[in-house]
Amino acid sequence: MNIFDATRKHYNAAGVHPTTDPDNPRSQFAVDRYENHLSKLIKPGMRALDLGCNAGRFTFAMEDMGAIATGIDFAEIPLLHAKEVAEKRKSRCQFNIGDITALPYKENSFDLALLPQNNGYLSYQTLESLTIQLKGILSDDGIFVVIMLDELVKRTGEETLPERYDVQTGLMEGHITIPGKGVYASPWVFWTVAFAKYIIEKHFALEDIEQIEENRFMLVFHNKKTQ
């Protein structure tokens, strides 16, 4: 299964849900959950990249915090909506089509990159590839922020846990039903905070791991190009 193709199809089919629409108050909960934490990292004029931005909830939020914000996503329908919202708001946010296996940005393009709870769509190899790309794309001492769930915390007590995912790849096959559109593959990758930390620390220096809620964690890494 190609996890990127499957995910793109179901996000394009789903379109823009009220809880992901930056123009809908129902989406504000996601930003509110992390606003106090992100605002401590974002400085005025900081160039920030929202990885897997969907319709731009976090992209616009980072702009509101003072960043010069850019979002990238591989699903065309949500991204088109983000551009429409930007035009309506007269926002400076930029939105690019593309995926994180081959980011279309030059060296030193950004000071901060945010992966907001999208790591479940990345294989173990893809997260490491992304981290290597960000090593060049981020400025020296740039920040890589990963917001994630821990599958071990989420699935504590499930006796059949080892049978639910491929232990070599972490891939868990799933499906999502979109009303009026049908059933779409919705694969997910088994991640833990410890393993994400292990992979990213090969290339970045860990600054902090903060537990936002029972099973929501923010990992903050710094780029050290001179090491």
Side-chain angles (χ1 to χ4, degrees):
M1 177 189 298
N2 186 314
I3 191 169
F4 284 105
D5 286 346
T7 304
R8 181 187 293 113
K9 287 177 182 177
H10 98 241
Y11 270 112
N12 275 329
V16 181
H17 191 271
T19 58
T20 62
D21 182 354
D23 247 8
N24 192 309
R26 288 179 60 188
S27 75
Q28 189 62 34
F29 77 95
V31 173
D32 289 346
R33 180 181 283 148
Y34 308 113
E35 184 173 10
N36 290 338
H37 307 276
L38 285 175
S39 62
K40 295 174 185 177
L41 300 173
I42 294 176
K43 309 301 180 186
M46 176 179 279
R47 302 164 298 165
L49 177 62
D50 183 1
L51 295 159
C53 65
N54 196 264
R57 283 183 307 186
F58 286 99
T59 321
F60 291 116
M62 290 194 292
E63 181 181 53
D64 290 342
M65 295 174 196
I68 301 168
T70 298
I72 185 168
D73 202 276
F74 58 17
E76 297 86 355
I77 301 302
L79 203 64
L80 178 61
H81 183 76
K83 292 179 179 180
E84 292 171 350
V85 173
E87 184 175 355
K88 183 167 68 172
R89 294 186 179 188
K90 295 181 170 52
S91 165
R92 294 177 60 194
C93 288
Q94 298 293 313
F95 292 96
N96 306 137
I97 189 73
D99 67 57
I100 57 181
T101 62
L103 292 171
Y105 304 115
K106 297 178 181 179
E107 189 169 349
N108 296 322
S109 292
F110 297 99
D111 306 302
L112 180 146
L114 172 67
L115 187 67
Q117 215 165 286
N118 298 335
N119 61 294
Y121 298 119
L122 309 183
S123 70
Y124 302 152
Q125 295 82 2
T126 300
L127 179 62
E128 180 150 23
S129 172
L130 169 64
T131 304
I132 292 169
Q133 290 181 76
L134 290 175
K135 188 79 179 168
I137 290 169
L138 288 173
S139 57
D140 188 27
D141 208 34
I143 303 169
F144 182 23
V145 182
V146 178
I147 297 172
M148 65 177 291
L149 305 179
D150 188 305
E151 292 292 335
L152 282 180
V153 175
K154 178 180 177 181
R155 301 171 188 275
T156 298
E158 294 187 15
E159 295 180 1
T160 59
L161 180 62
E163 302 171 7
R164 297 189 57 174
Y165 72 102
D166 184 315
V167 295
Q168 296 296 321
T169 64
L171 186 63
M172 299 182 286
E173 294 189 11
H175 295 84
I176 183 171
T177 300
I178 301 174
K181 299 290 182 66
V183 178
Y184 289 79
S186 183
W188 191 253
V189 177
F190 191 102
W191 277 103
T192 67
V193 167
F195 194 45
K197 172 180 174 289
Y198 166 74
I199 289 178
I200 299 170
E201 271 196 298
K202 294 179 184 179
H203 310 283
F204 283 76
L206 176 68
E207 178 179 296
D208 188 34
I209 298 179
E210 188 166 0
Q211 187 170 10
I212 308 296
E213 295 174 358
E214 181 181 3
N215 188 24
R216 294 184 192 277
F217 300 87
M218 177 181 284
L219 287 62
V220 180
F221 301 87
H222 273 269
N223 196 13
K224 301 292 184 183
K225 293 187 176 182
T226 56
Q227 285 187 341

